[in-house]
Amino acid sequence: MEKRTEKLTKLLDELNLDALFLTDLYNLRYFAGFTGTTGVGLATRKGNFFYSDFRYRSQAEAQVTKMGFEFVEVSRGSLKFVGEHAEKLGLKKIGFEDHNVTFSSYQTLKEVFKAELVPIGDKITYVRMIKSDEEIGFIKKAIEISDVAFSEALKIIKEGVSEKEIAGYMEYIQRKLGAEDRSFETILASGVRSAMPHGVASDKKIQKEEFITMDFGAYYNGYVSDMTRTVYYGNNITEKHKEIYNLVLEAQILGINTIKEGIMSDDVDKVVRNFLTEKGYGKEFGHGLGHGIGLEIHELPYLSSVTHIELKENMVVTSEPGLYFDGWGGVRIEDDVVVKKDGREVLNKSNKELIIIEAK
């Protein structure tokens, strides 16, 4: 694992701070290598410190030391010690992760630190946007696992099987292949429920002549995959089902082909949105085109109107347009894509052409 302490020092210079106080578990994993659930970090020019209690002593010592952090054992919940340590080090301006801190935690920090507290917004997460080759390797492995889970799930789809059963089976296959966990709650929405972009798996049974949308992923070594496929179950597919499916596929490929170094994140979304609007389906595409993935399932940059970030080599983003019709159903297709100097690389290998599973 590469050391990332240089990136922290650079941030201290850029933000004119004496220290960064790290509380977000994803950032602690990224910079300090810590995979537990309790601990905080302090990055300074005089050294980097990670504080946790005796339960994590051996784990944290092994993980953080090789990332350039010193492990400091404190009693559970003892921020007071961190404040005293910061005072001893003479730290006057300390940046904190305001997105990760509740109001009551902030009140505690003000009592604990005898220093000026500076909110740093998204500055730390910006650092995580460009992935190393090692990180991309972990994401690829997570995607390979999800690709297999998808092909295995197709084998158990039949009338009367519940959405939860299919979702559970996919999660089981991912675990069996080495995933630590699912990367988010599996979305499995069939029939009219496929019009719900976030329709998590329910007790609904699969019926003939309906779309089934599967949006799922795996965690591998801390990194996520995120893929969506929509399939048709039945023997009498309508022209409308085919038309909507192929339109979403065309939009999804257009999104992928628009991704390249140098383009702005919101412009990728705009290209696909304009295409679907021209086809008369602008209002049925109600969410952003995609988002960054990495340690988190949703991270910067967002391919949507809300984020204006220039895409750079080795960012990993999704392209996932969808069209949704209340009372009828919907289609979404999603791949994970690495931004390259001269274009992009699609990481998912699963088929995207319309799959029709015949009802026996």
Side-chain angles (χ1 to χ4, degrees), residues 1-12:
M1 180 67 84
E2 49 167 349
K3 271 196 192 168
R4 294 169 176 152
T5 46
E6 304 79 19
K7 293 180 180 181
L8 289 169
T9 309
K10 218 169 132 188
L11 262 178
L12 292 177

Side-chain angles (χ1 to χ4, degrees), residues 1-4 7 26-27 29-31 67 124-143 220-225 293-296 299 313-316 338 347:
M1 180 67 84
E2 49 167 349
K3 271 196 192 168
R4 294 169 176 152
K7 293 180 180 181
Y26 294 108
N27 287 335
R29 177 154 192 165
Y30 184 81
F31 290 107
M67 294 294 279
I124 282 194
T125 26
Y126 270 77
V127 174
R128 286 174 22 204
M129 286 195 297
I130 294 169
K131 308 295 188 273
S132 66
D133 290 345
E134 183 182 41
E135 289 178 283
I136 290 170
F138 295 149
I139 292 169
K140 278 183 174 170
K141 181 66 184 162
I143 291 167
Y220 181 79
N221 224 344
Y223 286 81
V224 304
S225 59
I293 62 166
L295 287 169
E296 291 181 84
E299 51 181 59
E313 186 177 21
N314 281 11
M315 287 180 176
V316 185
V338 183
L347 300 180

Side-chain angles (χ1 to χ4, degrees), residues 135 312 334:
E135 289 178 283
K312 299 250 169 64
E334 172 186 27

Side-chain angles (χ1 to χ4, degrees), residues 312-329:
K312 299 250 169 64
E313 186 177 21
N314 281 11
M315 287 180 176
V316 185
V317 295
T318 68
S319 173
E320 51 175 309
L323 293 176
Y324 311 95
F325 305 85
D326 283 344
W328 182 79

